[in-house]
Amino acid sequence: MTAITKKGTVCWRCHAPHSGGHFCAACGKIQPLARGTDYFAFFGLPQKLWLDCAELEKLFHQLSWKLHPDNFVRAGEYERELSLERSSQLNDAYRALRDPVARVEYLLAHAGMRKEGAAKQQAPPELLEEVFELNESLDELRTARASSTDDSHLASLKQHLEAEERKLETKLREVDEELKRIATEWDAAFDAGADQSQRKALMSRMNDVLNRRSYIRNLVANVQKELAEA
Amino acid sequence: MAYSDKVVDHYNNPRNVGSLDKNDPNVGTGLVGAPECGDVMKLQMKVNPQTQVIEEAKFKTFGCGSAIASSSLATEWVKGKTVEEALAIKNTEIVKELSLPPVKIHCSVLAEDAIKAALNDWKKKQASAAEQPAAAAQQ
């Protein structure tokens, strides 16, 4: 991004005070993005995790219509550039916010609280046991497929894995419910004006849930892939 | 990404693949995993209670080549070492030996964690066996 100004500066065109919106309140010219503007602020929303998706879609359509480069074909080069930049940011912002899980991912990433691959992130032990057994079943399935002598064995392995897949899907739903519960806590904390440490604690819990979620999702994807080939 | 020759060697000819009886009081089992990539690693060691020497080590790992190589190397290294010596193995030594790139360092961390988890499991078993000598003798 090239065109960034500090929040609370003046309009580049008419020099009227400008507080970070998309357009100057005085002259109506498109403005560069204020530094530190997050995707929530982009839509004029607070950093809360519950979002009315219909409302968000409406805001998205309104903004994409206002920021669209077609509106700026006869404007100066700087304005055309800003319109392009803002339009692409709008698409990114919409993609990040419309899905509840992506929204949490974004909130944490923006705050520097999304941590993957760190040494101390261990999967929960009760899950590991299952994962190990699941992988062994997958191995067995691959071997049975390669030899393809015993059809009934292959069929029973497939059945077993299909049952495992359903269990994982249930787990995934549980994880999503958990994420939703913490998101509700986050919104309540936001409204109550929670301090930095409370926010960080909530974000770190959400980060753990997101990691568990991606772990289970990878497993589901693996099982589905093997079953599709079997 | 290109794997180092040593990783490829361990990947193609993994050492000590298999399992030991996890109910054996002299066998410690460590099961660890990395949530971000779905790797799971099981490391088992059989310790001589008199000498504290690790006599046998087996592993089974589901994961990328670096994870397999790290755990294969770990079993090679712990064999013949005492429990204390094995606990002193650092992931950085594995990184060095296998020339792991930065993105694969977590595989070596996993292997170190697996050694520690297995030996902790063994220690727990020894402690509970010491608490109930009569019960152990009856078995």
Side-chain angles (χ1 to χ4, degrees), chain A residues 3-227:
Chain A
I4 287 181
T5 56
K6 261 191 275 170
K7 219 173 199 160
T9 50
V10 294
C11 168
W12 60 273
R13 179 63 189 269
C14 73
H15 305 292
H18 175 66
S19 60
H22 299 278
F23 298 93
C24 171
C27 72
K29 288 285 180 198
I30 187 167
Q31 299 296 313
L33 201 65
R35 191 184 296 275
T37 303
D38 62 67
Y39 288 162
F40 294 92
F42 198 98
F43 287 103
L45 296 166
Q47 267 193 5
K48 285 167 74 170
L49 290 168
W50 188 87
L51 262 178
D52 181 343
C53 284
E55 184 62 26
L56 182 71
E57 198 186 349
K58 217 172 86 192
L59 286 171
F60 171 69
H61 287 311
Q62 281 171 356
L63 277 174
S64 54
W65 180 76
K66 280 191 198 162
L67 297 169
H68 201 281
D70 283 359
N71 301 332
F72 297 87
V73 276
R74 274 184 292 274
E77 198 190 330
Y78 183 54
E79 284 171 81
R80 288 205 307 273
E81 195 185 297
L82 287 178
S83 141
L84 260 178
E85 203 176 272
R86 287 227 145 175
S87 294
S88 88
Q89 283 160 355
L90 175 68
N91 288 323
D92 292 343
Y94 184 56
R95 258 196 299 275
L97 294 195
R98 72 177 161 187
D99 174 71
V101 176
R103 198 180 305 149
V104 178
E105 292 261 8
Y106 172 72
L107 178 77
L108 299 193
H110 186 74
M113 291 289 289
R114 181 78 184 102
K115 295 188 178 85
E116 301 171 278
K120 283 300 145 209
Q121 270 175 21
Q122 285 288 312
E126 73 278 1
L127 188 61
L128 276 179
E129 199 76 49
E130 262 183 74
V131 173
F132 195 82
E133 277 162 27
L134 187 71
N135 274 304
E136 281 191 318
S137 301
L138 286 173
D139 242 15
E140 237 185 293
L141 182 75
R142 274 186 287 259
T143 317
R145 202 167 54 216
S147 61
S148 68
T149 44
D150 190 351
D151 280 349
S152 69
H153 180 53
L154 193 62
S156 78
L157 275 173
K158 273 182 80 168
Q159 237 172 21
H160 172 67
L161 280 170
E162 276 157 10
E164 288 296 321
E165 192 202 330
R166 282 193 295 275
K167 272 204 266 177
L168 287 172
E169 300 271 12
T170 310
K171 268 211 173 78
L172 204 55
R173 278 194 295 275
E174 285 166 8
V175 167
D176 283 347
E177 283 303 312
E178 196 181 337
L179 193 60
K180 226 194 242 170
R181 276 197 299 276
I182 310 175
T184 313
E185 280 184 56
W186 168 269
D187 286 358
F190 186 92
D191 287 337
D195 62 23
Q196 196 64 19
S197 74
Q198 282 169 299
R199 287 183 188 215
K200 275 201 166 151
L202 282 167
M203 285 203 252
S204 138
R205 275 169 61 200
M206 288 192 271
N207 185 58
D208 288 346
V209 176
L210 283 178
N211 281 331
R212 205 152 76 232
R213 188 178 193 279
S214 73
Y215 196 70
I216 298 170
R217 270 230 334 203
N218 283 346
L219 289 173
V220 173
N222 274 346
V223 175
Q224 281 171 345
K225 185 173 148 261
E226 292 295 336
L227 283 173

Side-chain angles (χ1 to χ4, degrees), chain B residues 36-105:
Chain B
E36 71 277 10
C37 54
D39 289 356
V40 264
M41 191 179 278
K42 184 158 101 177
L43 206 76
Q44 293 185 299
M45 289 176 232
K46 189 173 181 157
V47 185
N48 183 323
Q50 268 84 50
T51 59
Q52 301 263 307
V53 168
I54 296 160
E55 294 181 332
E56 186 108 56
K58 295 274 184 200
F59 84 94
K60 188 150 188 190
T61 293
F62 298 100
C64 65
S66 301
I68 290 169
S70 296
S71 38
S72 172
L73 179 69
T75 56
E76 268 197 330
W77 275 0
V78 297
K79 261 209 235 179
K81 280 199 167 70
T82 64
V83 171
E84 287 314 309
E85 286 166 350
L87 284 172
I89 293 174
K90 289 268 162 295
N91 82 293
T92 44
E93 298 168 58
I94 297 171
V95 171
K96 221 168 130 190
E97 174 69 17
L98 296 174
S99 322
L100 294 180
V103 293
K104 292 292 177 182
I105 286 174

Side-chain angles (χ1 to χ4, degrees), chain B residues 99-132:
Chain B
S99 322
L100 294 180
V103 293
K104 292 292 177 182
I105 286 174
H106 67 272
C107 296
S108 70
V109 175
L110 217 52
E112 185 191 321
D113 288 348
I115 297 175
K116 295 203 158 70
L119 291 172
N120 276 335
D121 180 51
W122 174 78
K123 279 184 178 169
K124 251 189 247 161
K125 276 181 174 179
Q126 294 295 302
S128 70
E131 272 172 27
Q132 301 158 308

Side-chain angles (χ1 to χ4, degrees), chain B residues 13-28:
Chain B
N13 314 292
R15 287 35 149 197
N16 311 310
V17 174
S19 60
L20 300 169
D21 177 12
K22 70 171 186 213
N23 297 318
D24 183 334
N26 295 323
V27 169

